[in-house]
Structures are given as structure tokens and as C-alpha cells.
Amino acid sequence: MRMILFSSRQYDVDTFNEANTAFKYELHFQESHLDADTAVLADGYDVVCPFVNDTVDAATLERLHAGGTRLIALRSAGFNHVDLAAARRLGMPVVRVPAYSPHAVAEHAAGLVLALNRKLPRAFARTREGDFSLNGLLGFDLHGKTVGVIGTGIIGRCFARVMAGFGMRVLAHDPGPESPEVLALGGRYVPLDTLLAESDVVSLHCPLLPSTHHLIDSRALAKMKRGAMLINTGRGGLVESNALVGALKSGQLGHLGLDVYEEEGGIFFEDHSNLPLQDDVLARLLMFPNVIVTAHQAFFTREAMTEIAQTTLGNVKAWREGTPRNVVEAPAKG
Ligand code: NAD
């Protein structure tokens, strides 16, 4: 069984090689991003393993199929970067890692809340320079404030539990069934506009779908409590990036924590420190003192990486044995 992992870095090599001692597949680690031009590198590989910013569109899938690839094994939970209709047409199943460590992402989101509220990066930079003053570092008690959780799946529920631990009141919005766990925390399901209007902290934990694209746009930002905090560890496309700058400049948005960014492809996961940043919106966002951007690292814990590697290789094994699991359902038509 030959498998090629695109966009792989040393940490992928380490965790996949360790997990592979139980499977003994032939793994090939490729640093390149996957797209229609680089798909040729997968010729002769039965299984292709893309990462979140790879381009798995129809042209890429067709080229992979022509080269002999028969399975797309995503090493992520999100699958918005895959043309599922094209994969279905080509008869190539797409499998994913539906849950690895919800704690990793929920804890990172909580970390962004704390770092923004208590201005920890600024405080750290100051004390390192011998500046022990407190001007500009005033925060607020999370206790007694309201957190709005958009999407109460595996990660959103975990995040709600963490924030309830700080004594926050939980509001939730999800078109799916209400979670008994969220209700048990004292959480209340409300329409999106109510959540936006009443929350001091709004955190996004829903998938990127056509229906959630730009869920937070200028209209939604205007409905938020003035000075509230927005956290996005979901997917960049959930937020209309262009609308953020104006909301931050006017003070309507008080704090912003992004682990994902709409145009992160080609930027995140790479070292661009010697180059001028080409994305003007991202460059502007990075200038605000009340903004923290992390480069899609919320999933990045030892436990999550181990689980991702084991589940991905287990998915390949199940497919080989004719009992595929964790298959992403393709749309009925198209
Ligand atoms: P999940 O499928 O368990 O939960 C998603 C929830 O969102 C579901 O309950 C669903 O009903 C809800 N939802 C769908 N449409 C909605 C809408 N319009 N408004 C509100 N809620 C809506 O998924 P999960 O494992 O909790 O992950 C959530 C998302 O987090 C993933 O889709 C992925 O994009 C993102 N993620 C990010 C990282 C990272 O490193 N930053 C890591 C893993 C996952």
C-alpha cells in the first residue's frame, strides 16, 4: 500500500512514521501543496493524504485518478477543500478524521480569549523590555459575562464547558438538535441575532458550508455588542475578512482572535518572515493591538497529532479491507 502525504512537515513525518509501525505502509512525505499541477507527484500512489489548504478540486481529483489514486484520506476533520461531487463521480471515496482532540481546539480558543482579554502578548513584550507599567493592560472578569458558542458539535460543546468553568453564561446557536450537555451547563439556545447581541465573547465552531460562508459579515458585526470579542478557530471563510478592519477601527469589535483566515492558503504553515506580506487585509489586522492571529495551530497538540495519524492510517486499513469508515458523504447530485 503506497500513500503520499502532501503539505507534510517534520511533525507529520514523526507522528505518521510512529503510527505506521503498526500498519507498515509505504509512506512518502511530500512538502508540496497539492493542486492540479502537483497531482502528478502522486502517480502510482493508491492513497493520497491532503492537508487543509491543499486544493482538492475536480481538476486535481481527475489527475490523481488518472495516476492510479483510489482513496483520498484527509488528515483533518474539515473537508470544505474537497470537491465531493467530483470524487463521487470518479468513484474515489473521501475519508477523514472526524474527531481527534476537541480539547486541543477548544483549549486554544480559550487561550485566545484569555490572551486577548488580559493582553498577555503585550505584557510579555513589555516586561522583557524592562517596562513594568500597567497602562493599556486593563482586562475584564470573564466570570458573569456571556459567551456565545456558534456550533455546538464536538468542539463547540468542549469550548462551552471550558468557558462555563470560568463562570460565564453560555448562549448557543446551532440548527441541529440542542445538546443536553450544553443545556446541563445552564446554556440556552437562541437565534443567531440574539446570540450576537447578548454575547461578550462570540466563538465560531461550525463547519464552512455554503450556508455558513461569511456567517459573520458587516451586518453580523454590527449586531454584536459594542466592544465584544470574536474568536474564530473554525474556518477562515466563516468571517468576511474585509469587514473586520472597519469594525476594529470603529471600536465596534473590541478584540479579535483568529486561528484561521479566509485567505490563509499559501501563507499559513510557512515562514514568510523574510518577505513582504502580500495580503493587505491580514497585514492590517496584524497591526491592531487588540488582534491575535495564530496560524491554524489550534489542532496542534501531541495528543491530536497522534490521534490524527492513527485514525488516518486506520481509515486506509478499513478501506483496504472493504469496510470503509469515516467516509465523507458526497452530495446526492452533481
Ligand atoms: P461537528 O461536526 O462536531 O460540529 C459542527 C456543529 O456545527 C454541528 O453541531 C452543526 O449542526 C453546527 N452547524 C452547522 N451549521 C451551523 C450554522 N449555520 N450555525 C451554527 N452551527 C452550525 O464539528 P467539530 O468537530 O466540532 O468541528 C467544528 C469545526 O472546527 C470543523 O468543521 C472545522 O472546520 C473546525 N476545526 C478547526 C481546527 C483548527 O485547528 N483550527 C481543528 C479542527 C476543526
Side-chain angles (χ1 to χ4, degrees):
M1 175 60 48
R2 303 185 75 217
M3 170 167 166
I4 182 169
L5 294 90
F6 280 88
S7 301
S8 52
R9 299 291 179 266
Q10 190 56 46
Y11 40 84
D12 299 302
V13 177
D14 295 342
T15 50
F16 270 83
N17 277 339
E18 192 178 332
N20 195 36
T21 54
F23 296 89
K24 305 200 179 355
Y25 296 147
E26 187 184 329
L27 302 184
H28 179 78
F29 296 95
Q30 179 55 251
E31 272 199 30
S32 310
H33 175 81
L34 171 64
D35 58 27
D37 293 330
T38 59
V40 63
L41 296 168
D43 278 3
Y45 286 91
D46 316 272
V47 181
V48 165
C49 180
F51 196 44
V52 291
N53 290 332
D54 285 326
T55 307
V56 199
D57 58 10
T60 306
L61 288 164
E62 278 157 19
R63 184 61 191 82
L64 291 175
H65 190 263
T69 298
R70 293 295 174 262
L71 177 70
I72 304 296
L74 305 176
R75 56 181 196 278
S76 60
F79 49 86
N80 51 283
H81 53 311
V82 183
D83 186 332
L84 293 174
R88 178 191 170 102
R89 179 165 44 78
L90 293 162
M92 276 203 284
V94 178
V95 293
R96 66 176 184 132
V97 184
Y100 32 94
S101 171
H103 309 288
V105 183
E107 289 170 13
H108 190 79
L112 288 173
V113 173
L114 292 171
L116 282 164
N117 176 23
R118 307 309 295 267
K119 300 159 180 67
L120 299 181
R122 295 185 79 191
F124 173 72
R126 260 189 212 186
T127 55
R128 299 256 296 193
E129 291 296 318
D131 177 355
F132 300 97
S133 68
L134 298 183
N135 285 337
L137 300 184
L138 191 67
F140 60 88
D141 283 7
L142 290 175
H143 183 92
K145 300 294 188 307
T146 299
V147 61
V149 184
I150 300 183
T152 54
I154 306 172
I155 296 171
R157 292 198 297 275
C158 194
F159 177 74
R161 199 163 57 237
V162 171
M163 301 320 283
F166 283 106
M168 294 192 86
R169 168 182 172 246
V170 176
L171 292 181
H173 175 73
D174 194 310
E178 296 190 354
S179 153
E181 191 185 347
V182 171
L183 298 175
L185 292 169
R188 197 159 56 86
Y189 280 83
V190 293
L192 181 61
D193 284 357
T194 309
L195 181 148
L196 295 174
E198 294 186 18
S199 299
D200 301 284
V201 175
V202 172
S203 192
L204 300 172
H205 300 286
C206 54
L208 178 60
L209 304 166
S211 60
T212 58
H213 182 250
H214 287 181
L215 186 73
I216 303 298
D217 56 8
S218 49
R219 187 207 64 93
L221 287 164
K223 294 206 163 169
M224 285 175 69
K225 230 182 197 182
R226 186 167 175 80
M229 181 186 296
L230 176 67
I231 303 291
N232 187 9
T233 58
R235 282 289 180 268
L238 296 172
V239 178
E240 185 188 3
S241 312
N242 282 324
L244 292 170
V245 173
L248 284 159
K249 280 167 80 174
S250 71
Q252 170 61 16
L253 188 58
H255 313 261
L256 173 68
L258 297 181
D259 184 54
V260 286
Y261 174 64
E262 209 174 357
E263 304 294 336
E264 70 180 50
I267 303 176
F268 284 14
F269 307 119
E270 310 291 343
D271 180 0
H272 292 271
S273 55
N274 287 322
L275 302 164
L277 189 53
Q278 297 299 317
D279 186 312
D280 291 348
V281 175
L282 181 58
R284 181 67 182 97
L285 290 175
L286 290 168
M287 296 306 294
F288 287 100
N290 48 350
V291 173
I292 296 179
V293 176
T294 55
H296 209 138
Q297 73 172 82
F299 73 99
F300 198 47
T301 65
R302 243 189 314 275
E303 292 78 3
M305 290 298 286
T306 301
E307 187 61 36
I308 287 169
Q310 286 175 349
T311 304
T312 304
L313 295 176
N315 286 344
V316 174
K317 180 170 186 280
W319 167 76
R320 272 190 94 186
E321 292 171 348
T323 51
R325 62 175 208 196
N326 295 325
V327 178
V328 184
E329 289 308 324
K333 291 182 187 166

